[in-house]
Amino acid sequence: MHTGQAWVALVFCILYLISILGNLSILALVIREPALHQPMYYFLSMLSLNDLGVSFSTLPTVLATFCFNDRHVGFDACLVQMFFIHTFSFMESGILLAMSFDRFVAICDPLHYATVLTHSRILTIGLGILTKSFTTLFPFPFLVKRLPFCKGNVLHHSYCLHPDLMKVACGDIHVNNIYGLFVIVFTYGVDSVFILLSYALILRAVLAIASQEQRLKALNTCMSHICAVLAFYVPIIAVSMIHRFWKSAPPVVHVMMSNVYLFVPPMLNPIIYSVKTREIRRAFKVRAQAEDNRWELRPAFSRGWRKQASAVGGMGDEGNESLDFLSVFLTGIQGLEAQHNWLSVPFFIMYVVAIMGNSLIMAAVWGDSALHEPMYLLLSMLAVSEVGVSVSTLPTVMGILWFDARRVDFDGCLAQMFFIHTFSGMESGVLLAMSYDRFVAIYNPLCYTAVLTLPRIISMGLGITLKSVALMAPLPVLLRQLPYCHINILSHSYCLHSDLIQLPCADTKLNSILGLAIVLATFGLDSLLIVVSYVLILYTVLGIASGEGRRKALNTCVSHICAVLVYYVPMIGVSVMHRAAKRASPLVHTIMSSIYLFVPPVLNPIIYSVKTRPVRQGIVTLFCCKKELI
């Protein structure tokens, strides 16, 4: 393999995220929105559930192969994966057939649509598709397991398929071939014929409609399903044609086509139905607007507001101080709300780069024994904290940009606030530990390994984590005790302590004092000790006689200095803007806070990959080692 696999891994991760998030969104919308409790959308939810099954069936080996270069998989595990991949693929074909029947009934016999496709009948169809696929594929693992294997046990894909496993067997595979052909004809063949028949009948019924506008309207209800059928069957036909008539094609062509066959339908189906189905789009908007109307101006329930809340049905028990009904309303990018869909693209790319980049750093450090040194172990801790910051903000930021979902439960907001501040505090502590590492390495290199032993590094990591958790734990507890009566709108697309303490209608001095104490005990103290460390480092370096030695010593600190600047400069910029430029445009404050949260996780993996040769080598090794799949 070559280093290009790192980019392939990034593409695959993006495809998996789109597939999983898209299909989960469709499922959640159909379940929660009463307007979508119709046969067409029940079948769509079955399709989304099935696409999730396809994605999760291939995900373990694909990510292990491309992200961690781990190509070994147990034979039994390979058989299990093969079974699930083929089962979900054949189920998708059956669901598409059921959806074509749904369109046939809706267009050819609309008056009896509700009586033909009842809830019980839809459930029966779904169970029938599942039973058919399961029973048809059940013999596959046993037919493969009975074969003797004596050839090279290297498969052609990053997942296990029946045709691949048959090729590495050295016994008689006629039974497997015959049964495999029977299964394909019995599933894809029969299903595709009936889908074509359904559309022939649909077309005949549509052409019999007198009004051209009605004909177009009837056909338009089928467009999403037609696109889904094409997205499923075109890659299957293309793979079969290449496999039979272009065997001399480069292996990369076969690999890419097989990946298109398994990746394209789960990724495209939610996009197709979101773009082409007006009811889905409307449901997303209605859901978001309903949540906004419900929570945007709703007050929290303090003692003074309890009677008013009870009068509107908010609270039934006068002695119960409950916050169960309290939610807060997040703010997107103010002034650019109409461009949220476009802005979601760079934000999503930054999240992918931050999470994948730091994950690669962690995988390289833990996978390469040459990087099992204090400096790189601390770097992996930094990567963990940055992944934590990114994952903490991702749900609400992308929820606002994609779905305008700005409402978040108060307890959920407190939890997000706790994790954002905890991981930020951990990052500051890890940067301090890394400055101590550089100080010891330069000031007393002979005792470096004796001072920074593995148990001591683990203790430092646990200490940083416990310190951050202990300092941040009181924040949500104290906030939850306060009465709220202001408009509960926050100024960011995520929950921060500085935002939340502006909402209560009681004295927040204790919260403000605690917040200031935490800032001083973490960022203030850590930054001061980092400066002291570099003063001592500079003093030591200036004492080195050789100019080359001085440059070499300072060069080992460049990556860490860049990481410190990338972390503290945006933080200082946000603080200065918050205090000295309160009248600045809300967009300016939003951009600055986004820089503070996005820049360090995105840039640090790039900094350490570019400036630190052992890390570069570790990442290259991660993608260049050759191992066998089975």
Side-chain angles (χ1 to χ4, degrees):
M1 295 295 174
H2 49 78
T3 55
Q5 281 200 176
W7 297 106
V8 176
L10 179 61
V11 171
F12 280 160
C13 286
I14 293 173
L15 294 179
Y16 272 122
L17 280 174
I18 294 173
S19 300
I20 293 170
L21 291 176
N23 285 292
L24 283 174
S25 298
I26 294 290
L27 269 175
L29 193 65
V30 172
I31 291 170
R32 296 178 61 185
E33 187 59 46
L36 299 181
H37 291 176
Q38 301 175 24
M40 174 182 175
Y41 304 110
Y42 288 139
F43 287 125
L44 175 58
S45 64
M46 291 183 196
L47 186 66
S48 295
L49 191 61
N50 186 81
D51 286 339
L52 286 172
V54 173
S55 297
F56 283 119
S57 297
T58 60
L59 187 145
T61 54
V62 171
L63 292 189
T65 300
F66 287 97
C67 293
F68 305 108
N69 204 39
D70 183 5
R71 304 184 178 207
H72 289 89
V73 60
F75 184 67
D76 290 335
C78 192
L79 292 179
V80 171
Q81 185 185 50
M82 175 201 73
F83 173 76
F84 280 111
I85 289 175
H86 288 304
T87 299
F88 284 118
S89 296
F90 292 152
M91 281 177 62
E92 183 152 357
S93 176
I95 293 169
L96 290 171
L97 173 59
M99 295 174 82
S100 70
F101 176 68
D102 165 84
R103 292 298 85 206
F104 165 73
V105 176
I107 292 172
C108 297
D109 195 8
L111 296 178
H112 294 92
Y113 181 68
T115 57
V116 171
L117 288 170
T118 60
H119 288 179
S120 60
R121 195 160 290 168
I122 292 169
L123 181 61
T124 303
I125 291 172
L127 291 175
I129 293 169
L130 176 61
T131 303
K132 172 191 169 186
S133 300
F134 183 85
T135 54
T136 304
L137 273 298
F138 189 72
F140 265 178
F142 300 99
L143 290 174
V144 173
K145 198 171 178 63
R146 70 180 179 84
L147 295 172
F149 290 85
C150 54
K151 297 180 181 179
N153 54 348
V154 179
L155 304 184
H156 295 129
H157 303 97
S158 51
Y159 42 81
C160 300
L161 296 177
H162 184 251
D164 245 9
L165 287 169
M166 284 195 302
K167 289 177 182 177
V168 298
C170 56
D172 186 5
I173 58 173
H174 281 95
V175 175
N176 296 68
N177 280 324
I178 293 170
Y179 188 72
L181 180 61
F182 163 75
V183 169
I184 289 174
V185 172
F186 184 62
T187 52
Y188 296 141
V190 173
D191 292 345
S192 59
V193 168
F194 277 111
I195 289 172
L196 289 173
L197 179 61
S198 298
Y199 273 100
L201 296 173
I202 288 170
L203 189 60
R204 188 182 71 172
V206 168
L207 292 175
I209 299 174
S211 169
Q212 182 179 358
E213 184 180 351
Q214 292 299 317
R215 287 199 296 268
L216 293 174
K217 187 176 180 181
L219 285 175
N220 191 54
T221 63
C222 302
M223 288 305 299
S224 298
H225 180 252
I226 292 171
C227 292
V229 169
L230 293 175
F232 181 73
Y233 279 103
V234 168
I236 289 178
I237 294 170
V239 167
S240 300
M241 296 292 287
I242 290 176
H243 181 70
R244 283 163 178 77
F245 301 109
W246 196 16
K247 293 184 178 180
S248 60
V252 68
V253 175
H254 293 279
V255 172
M256 291 308 296
M257 285 305 301
S258 63
N259 284 322
V260 166
Y261 155 58
L262 282 180
F263 276 104
V264 165
M267 180 191 69
L268 283 187
N269 284 340
I271 298 174
I272 289 169
Y273 276 92
S274 298
V275 172
K276 294 296 295 178
T277 308
R278 185 175 56 188
E279 288 78 9
I280 295 287
R281 296 198 307 272
R282 184 186 299 164
F284 273 121
K285 291 180 181 178
V286 168
R287 195 76 192 173
Q289 289 172 0
E291 296 292 349
D292 291 354
N293 294 334
R294 183 182 177 188
W295 298 109
E296 180 175 2
L297 299 177
R298 187 161 186 168
F301 303 106
S302 64
R303 288 186 180 89
W305 287 80
R306 195 174 292 140
K307 289 185 180 179
Q308 177 184 342
S310 181
V312 297
M315 295 181 69
D317 183 3
E318 186 136 342
N320 181 19
E321 278 187 68
S322 175
L323 287 171
D324 292 342
F325 295 97
L326 175 61
S327 286
V328 293
F329 191 71
L330 300 174
T331 304
I333 302 176
Q334 297 184 46
L336 298 175
E337 287 83 0
Q339 285 76 41
H340 272 184
N341 287 335
W342 294 105
L343 290 171
S344 68
V345 176
F347 273 87
F348 183 71
I349 291 173
M350 285 191 289
Y351 272 121
V352 170
V353 172
I355 294 171
M356 288 303 303
N358 285 289
S359 297
L360 282 175
I361 294 288
M362 287 187 282
V365 171
W366 294 106
D368 190 347
S369 57
L371 296 180
H372 291 176
E373 298 179 8
M375 174 182 174
Y376 305 113
L377 295 176
L378 292 172
L379 174 59
S380 68
M381 293 181 193
L382 183 68
V384 169
S385 65
E386 287 171 344
V387 169
V389 171
S390 298
V391 172
S392 298
T393 60
L394 186 148
T396 53
V397 172
M398 298 312 300
I400 291 172
L401 295 177
W402 277 340
F403 310 116
D404 198 33
R406 295 188 284 169
R407 199 269 306 177
V408 60
D409 292 337
F410 186 68
D411 288 335
C413 190
L414 292 179
Q416 184 184 50
M417 176 203 72
F418 170 75
F419 283 113
I420 291 174
H421 290 306
T422 298
F423 283 117
S424 296
M426 285 174 60
E427 187 166 353
S428 176
V430 173
L431 288 172
L432 173 59
M434 294 174 80
S435 70
Y436 175 69
D437 164 86
R438 291 299 82 205
F439 166 71
V440 175
I442 293 172
Y443 180 76
N444 196 0
L446 297 178
C447 297
Y448 180 67
T449 54
V451 173
L452 289 170
T453 59
L454 182 60
R456 193 162 290 169
I457 292 170
I458 293 174
S459 299
M460 289 168 64
L462 291 174
I464 292 168
T465 304
L466 292 174
K467 173 192 170 185
S468 297
V469 170
L471 286 174
M472 305 301 172
L475 294 180
V477 176
L478 290 176
L479 280 171
R480 209 175 191 284
Q481 303 303 315
L482 293 172
Y484 292 81
C485 54
H486 295 171
I487 295 174
N488 50 347
I489 300 177
L490 302 185
S491 57
H492 298 95
S493 50
Y494 40 81
C495 300
L496 297 177
H497 183 258
S498 56
D499 249 8
L500 285 168
I501 60 171
Q502 296 176 13
L503 301 183
C505 55
D507 187 5
T508 60
K509 285 184 179 179
L510 177 61
N511 297 72
S512 298
I513 292 171
L514 178 62
L516 180 61
I518 290 172
V519 169
L520 293 176
T522 52
F523 308 119
L525 182 60
D526 292 345
S527 59
L528 178 62
L529 292 177
I530 288 172
V531 171
V532 171
S533 297
Y534 272 99
V535 169
L536 296 175
I537 287 170
L538 188 60
Y539 178 78
T540 305
V541 167
L542 292 176
I544 299 174
S546 167
E548 183 180 352
R550 288 196 295 270
R551 285 193 298 272
K552 188 175 180 180
L554 285 175
N555 191 53
T556 62
C557 302
V558 170
S559 297
H560 180 253
I561 292 171
C562 292
V564 170
L565 293 175
V566 160
Y567 181 74
Y568 279 102
V569 169
M571 181 187 294
I572 294 169
V574 168
S575 301
V576 171
M577 287 290 299
H578 182 69
R579 285 163 177 78
K582 291 184 178 181
R583 295 183 179 179
S585 168
L587 181 61
V588 175
H589 291 281
T590 300
I591 291 173
M592 287 301 299
S593 62
S594 296
I595 289 173
Y596 163 57
L597 282 179
F598 277 104
V599 166
V602 170
L603 286 188
N604 280 342
I606 298 173
I607 290 169
Y608 276 93
S609 300
V610 172
K611 294 296 297 179
T612 310
R613 186 172 59 184
V615 173
R616 288 201 308 273
Q617 292 174 343
I619 294 174
V620 170
T621 302
L622 192 65
F623 294 106
C624 290
C625 294
K626 292 184 177 291
K627 299 179 185 177
E628 294 180 349
L629 179 60
I630 299 179

XYZ file of all heavy atoms in Angstrom, residues 427 431 527 561-577 592-593 595-597 599-600 603:
214
model
N -6.871 19.863 27.730
C -5.922 20.249 26.683
C -4.874 21.210 27.232
O -3.678 21.091 26.933
C -6.671 20.891 25.514
C -5.787 21.177 24.321
C -6.583 21.492 23.067
O -7.828 21.356 23.094
O -5.947 21.869 22.067
N -0.832 20.401 27.449
C 0.183 21.301 26.897
C 1.225 21.666 27.954
O 2.427 21.781 27.642
C -0.486 22.566 26.348
C -1.280 22.393 25.049
C -2.047 23.668 24.722
C -0.356 22.026 23.891
N -0.743 28.372 31.709
C 0.004 29.249 30.791
C 1.218 29.864 31.486
O 2.293 29.993 30.881
C -0.913 30.343 30.246
O -1.449 31.124 31.304
N 5.551 24.629 20.639
C 5.329 26.080 20.673
C 4.164 26.453 19.757
O 3.293 27.251 20.117
C 6.609 26.831 20.267
C 7.695 26.646 21.344
C 6.327 28.316 20.056
C 9.056 27.171 20.949
N 4.138 25.851 18.551
C 3.028 26.114 17.617
C 1.697 25.677 18.227
O 0.687 26.381 18.116
C 3.264 25.389 16.300
S 4.652 26.028 15.332
N 1.683 24.500 18.871
C 0.450 23.996 19.487
C -0.021 24.926 20.604
O -1.222 25.188 20.751
C 0.671 22.589 20.023
N 0.931 25.431 21.402
C 0.579 26.360 22.486
C -0.010 27.648 21.918
O -1.031 28.161 22.401
C 1.813 26.659 23.354
C 1.531 27.806 24.317
C 2.226 25.416 24.141
N 0.621 28.191 20.867
C 0.128 29.417 20.248
C -1.252 29.212 19.622
O -2.142 30.066 19.750
C 1.119 29.912 19.186
C 2.479 30.395 19.710
C 3.406 30.732 18.557
C 2.299 31.613 20.612
N -1.416 28.060 18.952
C -2.697 27.749 18.308
C -3.811 27.641 19.345
O -4.971 27.963 19.055
C -2.568 26.441 17.499
C -3.911 25.811 17.219
C -1.848 26.705 16.194
N -3.471 27.211 20.561
C -4.477 27.054 21.604
C -4.750 28.368 22.339
O -5.906 28.765 22.518
C -4.018 25.988 22.600
C -4.997 25.732 23.718
C -6.165 25.028 23.491
C -4.756 26.201 25.005
C -7.078 24.795 24.515
C -5.652 25.978 26.034
C -6.808 25.265 25.781
O -7.709 25.038 26.781
N -3.688 29.060 22.758
C -3.875 30.226 23.635
C -4.182 31.523 22.892
O -4.886 32.384 23.426
C -2.636 30.414 24.521
C -2.638 29.493 25.714
C -1.853 28.354 25.740
C -3.452 29.749 26.809
C -1.867 27.492 26.832
C -3.475 28.904 27.903
C -2.676 27.776 27.904
O -2.696 26.923 28.985
N -3.667 31.698 21.670
C -3.932 32.948 20.938
C -5.426 33.114 20.643
O -5.993 34.186 20.915
C -3.084 33.020 19.650
C -3.557 34.162 18.756
C -1.614 33.208 20.000
N -6.124 32.081 20.092
C -7.582 32.257 19.915
C -8.325 32.466 21.231
O -9.292 33.233 21.281
C -8.010 30.941 19.248
C -6.788 30.413 18.608
C -5.670 30.817 19.507
N -7.861 31.799 22.306
C -8.519 31.972 23.598
C -8.381 33.415 24.087
O -9.359 34.029 24.538
C -7.911 31.025 24.638
C -8.553 31.120 26.009
S -7.679 30.147 27.226
C -7.976 28.511 26.620
N -7.185 33.966 23.973
C -6.972 35.357 24.380
C -7.780 36.290 23.481
O -8.374 37.267 23.949
C -5.474 35.699 24.334
C -4.720 34.875 25.388
C -5.251 37.194 24.568
C -3.209 34.953 25.251
N -7.818 35.975 22.166
C -8.591 36.800 21.238
C -10.066 36.819 21.581
O -10.714 37.877 21.554
N -10.630 35.669 21.941
C -12.038 35.585 22.324
C -12.289 36.400 23.588
O -13.273 37.141 23.687
C -12.461 34.118 22.533
C -13.824 34.038 23.200
C -12.496 33.382 21.206
N -11.392 36.271 24.584
C -11.557 37.008 25.843
C -11.488 38.512 25.622
O -12.293 39.274 26.184
C -10.474 36.577 26.840
O -10.558 35.192 27.097
N -10.529 38.964 24.813
C -10.389 40.398 24.531
C -11.620 40.924 23.800
O -12.162 41.987 24.134
C -9.108 40.663 23.723
C -9.069 42.112 23.246
C -7.875 40.360 24.565
N -12.084 40.149 22.784
C -13.278 40.565 22.036
C -14.496 40.631 22.949
O -15.323 41.543 22.849
C -13.541 39.574 20.897
C -12.568 39.669 19.737
S -12.772 41.179 18.776
C -14.444 40.999 18.204
N -15.007 34.327 16.068
C -13.915 34.186 17.026
C -14.090 32.945 17.906
O -13.137 32.206 18.172
C -13.823 35.438 17.901
C -13.261 36.652 17.193
S -11.597 36.390 16.529
C -10.676 36.029 18.036
N -15.317 32.702 18.366
C -15.538 31.521 19.202
C -15.371 30.234 18.394
O -14.892 29.227 18.919
C -16.940 31.577 19.822
O -17.941 31.569 18.817
N -13.304 29.925 15.836
C -11.848 29.772 15.680
C -11.254 29.131 16.927
O -10.412 28.232 16.845
C -11.199 31.147 15.402
C -11.565 31.616 13.984
C -9.683 31.078 15.572
C -11.106 33.024 13.678
N -11.714 29.577 18.104
C -11.184 29.047 19.369
C -11.442 27.548 19.504
O -10.573 26.796 19.973
C -11.823 29.821 20.535
C -11.711 29.151 21.871
C -10.473 28.815 22.402
C -12.842 28.843 22.614
C -10.373 28.191 23.640
C -12.755 28.228 23.849
C -11.516 27.897 24.351
O -11.417 27.274 25.567
N -12.622 27.104 19.077
C -12.958 25.688 19.242
C -12.502 24.810 18.084
O -12.274 23.624 18.262
C -14.467 25.527 19.428
C -15.003 25.861 20.821
C -16.503 25.675 20.863
C -14.347 25.012 21.896
N -9.881 25.680 15.550
C -8.504 25.782 15.056
C -7.549 24.785 15.724
O -6.809 24.079 15.032
C -7.986 27.235 15.188
C -6.474 27.293 15.009
C -8.666 28.105 14.137
N -7.518 24.684 17.078
C -6.565 23.732 17.676
C -6.774 22.275 17.235
O -5.810 21.611 16.838
C -6.792 23.916 19.188
C -7.329 25.295 19.334
C -8.176 25.507 18.123
N -5.591 22.110 13.457
C -4.196 22.419 13.127
C -3.175 21.540 13.836
O -2.107 21.258 13.281
C -3.894 23.893 13.435
C -4.468 24.928 12.464
C -3.910 26.307 12.789
C -4.132 24.575 11.016
